[in-house]
Amino acid sequence: MDALARAVAAKLLANVVNLTPVGLGTFDENGRRVTQGGTLRRGWSVEKISSGRYSVINPVPYALYVEEGHRQTPGRYVPAIGRQLKTSWVPGKHMLNDAIAQTKKEVPQICRELSIFTGGRR
């Protein structure tokens, strides 16, 4: 059972990483790149909670806002992106929710593959 849970967690991790958007990074006042994008994508990991239980997490502080969406103040200038905000609500990307739905569809295939590799043993 632990092998199945581990395989499903690994598949979920791969799916959520692929669905996570990558930003451009931040730029200084001259337009030169200060930081590289991809922090959110690199933040995903799997933690083992107990035998047969795993958790896919992202400790990046703004992960929840990208997943669920967030409010902002229209007209406010943001130096990091070099422009003013236009809308009051930014919709979420739902990368984790979409990855969970995608992974649920792939569980039967994971089970079949595990049964081949383990010779039918659990």
Side-chain angles (χ1 to χ4, degrees), residues 29-46:
E29 60 277 351
N30 298 322
R32 289 184 299 238
R33 187 183 308 266
V34 177
T35 62
Q36 183 68 35
T39 302
L40 186 61
R41 184 175 278 188
R42 288 188 304 271
W44 292 107
S45 64
V46 174

Side-chain angles (χ1 to χ4, degrees), residues 15-59:
N15 288 342
V16 75
V17 165
N18 287 336
L19 293 172
T20 300
V22 176
L24 298 174
T26 56
F27 300 86
D28 67 11
E29 60 277 351
N30 298 322
R32 289 184 299 238
R33 187 183 308 266
V34 177
T35 62
Q36 183 68 35
T39 302
L40 186 61
R41 184 175 278 188
R42 288 188 304 271
W44 292 107
S45 64
V46 174
E47 283 186 354
K48 184 173 185 173
I49 297 172
S50 63
S51 180
R53 295 189 67 200
Y54 292 83
S55 181
V56 175
I57 63 163
N58 194 327

Side-chain angles (χ1 to χ4, degrees), residues 12 16 19 44 67-68 92-104:
L12 176 58
V16 75
L19 293 172
W44 292 107
E67 173 73 17
E68 299 294 335
K93 298 295 183 182
H94 308 291
M95 59 269 184
L96 182 58
N97 287 333
D98 293 347
I100 290 169
Q102 183 179 345
T103 305
K104 281 181 180 179

Side-chain angles (χ1 to χ4, degrees), residues 29 73-85:
E29 60 277 351
T73 306
R76 191 178 119 234
Y77 179 76
V78 181
I81 61 173
R83 50 183 202 225
Q84 289 184 323
L85 302 175

Side-chain angles (χ1 to χ4, degrees), residues 4 14 21 28 33 35 41 53 62 66 70 77 93 105 109 113 115:
L4 175 59
D28 67 11
R33 187 183 308 266
T35 62
R41 184 175 278 188
R53 295 189 67 200
Y62 57 87
V66 177
H70 61 90
Y77 179 76
K93 298 295 183 182
K105 293 176 186 174
Q109 178 62 31
E113 289 171 2
S115 124

